[in-house]
Amino acid sequence: MLDVKEKRLRGLLREYGRVAVGFSGGVDSTLLLRVAVDELGAGNVLPVVADTPSLPRKEFDEALGLAEAMGVACLVVDPDELSDPAYAANPADRCYYCKKHLFEMIRRVAAGKGFFCVLDGNNADDAGDYRPGRRAAQELGVKSPLMEAGLTKAEVRALSERAGLPTAQKPAMACLASRIPYGTPVTAEVLGKVERAEGVLRGLGFGQCRVRHHGDVARIEVDEASLPRLLDAAVRGQVTCGVREAGYRYVTVDLQGYRMGSMNEVLAAGHAAGSGEAQKNIG
């Protein structure tokens, strides 16, 4: 089945011809870029990276390096989403405004270079998640070949292993704005605090981690297997000191551990309680 899906992916890419790839250096977009270069040749593939405060600098640098290793140079764009009040207000559909800015810019600059087909790295699992950014992509005609080929996240990782990509087992990395509760404004200052705090955790070897921003409070999520180490007195002291230096007054640990999209839990709770309560919860 995996081979069939990979064949479908390669066939889709050949149908597209010259493509611009929205590239973040994550598991999905890295595989997409690798296969696109293999099928179409480096001259027919344009990886586009967003230089934005919501993308950690380490991730930005790694994305540029990954593309270079594949023989293609990234086009760097600044979607300037923070200048949009609809995005900065951080509504529940914040991702819609983010992706709209990003893909409008990618379409414009890519077309100027002769690339009229824009791709993103959404996979088949993303179809069942709450992703308002998908609506923006669809409105702008962005194609999702991994999703169209039916490739799940696990299958994307398996193909990445097969291709020898260093991202095959890379932890999931959503944009930094996903750490901020809906209704709390997104600012460069807050994004910087989150990035510095998560840098402390990653520097201590916590790969799958999140620092959820709640004003002066940092709520730390790590995978369940890493909780005992995080709560070790010596490690806990280093984390507390580092996260406070990043700009937080209080440092807490979420005992449920890391789970993707935990900030969306308030939406589900609000929906269950009724539409009025949902509106209150998302600000």
Side-chain angles (χ1 to χ4, degrees):
M1 181 61 72
L2 183 59
D3 290 340
V4 172
K5 292 183 180 182
E6 181 183 13
K7 184 177 179 180
R8 173 62 175 153
L9 172 63
R10 293 181 181 275
L12 287 169
L13 291 169
R14 288 193 299 272
E15 290 175 15
Y16 299 151
R18 287 165 62 82
V19 297
V21 178
F23 185 58
S24 67
V27 180
D28 301 313
S29 64
T30 298
L31 176 69
L32 179 59
L33 182 60
R34 174 72 274 168
V35 179
V37 171
D38 288 347
E39 287 299 318
L40 305 175
N44 291 314
V45 182
L46 178 67
V48 185
V49 178
D51 186 3
T52 166
S54 65
L55 179 68
R57 293 299 85 189
K58 183 175 182 292
E59 296 295 310
F60 176 78
D61 293 339
E62 286 182 1
L64 298 183
L66 283 166
E68 183 179 7
M70 295 183 208
V72 286
C74 287
L75 177 65
V76 177
V77 299
D78 177 9
D80 193 26
E81 68 272 25
L82 286 174
S83 67
D84 181 358
Y87 170 87
N90 199 14
D93 60 348
R94 176 199 67 241
C95 288
Y96 170 81
Y97 300 101
C98 174
K99 295 300 185 185
K100 185 178 180 181
H101 277 270
L102 175 61
F103 287 123
E104 282 180 340
M105 175 159 284
I106 290 178
R107 280 209 320 172
R108 185 170 62 253
V109 298
K113 295 180 177 294
F115 294 84
F116 299 100
C117 181
V118 178
L119 312 181
D120 71 17
N122 278 298
N123 64 60
D125 290 338
D126 296 327
D129 196 10
Y130 176 68
R131 291 181 181 265
R134 281 279 300 148
R135 178 162 56 94
Q138 290 169 336
E139 289 174 359
L140 293 167
V142 176
K143 299 183 182 299
S144 305
L146 298 176
M147 180 180 288
E148 193 171 343
L151 286 161
T152 65
K153 189 73 167 192
E155 290 170 331
V156 168
R157 291 190 185 279
L159 288 179
S160 299
E161 289 275 15
R162 183 184 293 180
L165 294 172
T167 51
Q169 297 305 320
K170 183 176 182 178
M173 172 60 73
C175 80
L176 293 173
S178 66
R179 280 57 154 179
I180 305 172
Y182 296 123
T184 299
V186 180
T187 67
E189 179 185 6
V190 170
L191 294 171
K193 283 175 63 173
V194 172
E195 181 176 0
R196 291 192 298 273
E198 289 192 356
V200 171
L201 290 165
R202 292 196 168 85
L204 290 170
F206 295 97
Q208 190 66 277
C209 63
R210 296 288 187 270
V211 173
R212 308 295 187 183
H213 172 88
H214 299 277
D216 287 339
V217 179
R219 175 169 59 88
I220 296 173
E221 296 177 12
V222 298
D223 60 271
E224 192 172 344
S226 297
L227 276 170
R229 179 169 174 261
L230 177 63
L231 296 174
D232 174 81
V235 176
R236 189 174 74 238
Q238 289 178 281
V239 169
T240 300
C241 181
V243 173
R244 282 179 174 168
E245 288 180 356
Y248 289 98
R249 182 172 298 176
Y250 305 106
V251 184
T252 67
V253 175
D254 190 321
L255 296 181
Q256 286 184 266
Y258 167 75
R259 60 246 185 239
M260 183 175 66
S262 71
M263 287 303 196
N264 291 335
E265 292 168 355
V266 67
L267 301 180
H271 178 74
S275 60
E277 185 66 18
Q279 289 301 313
K280 182 178 74 173
N281 282 338
I282 64 176

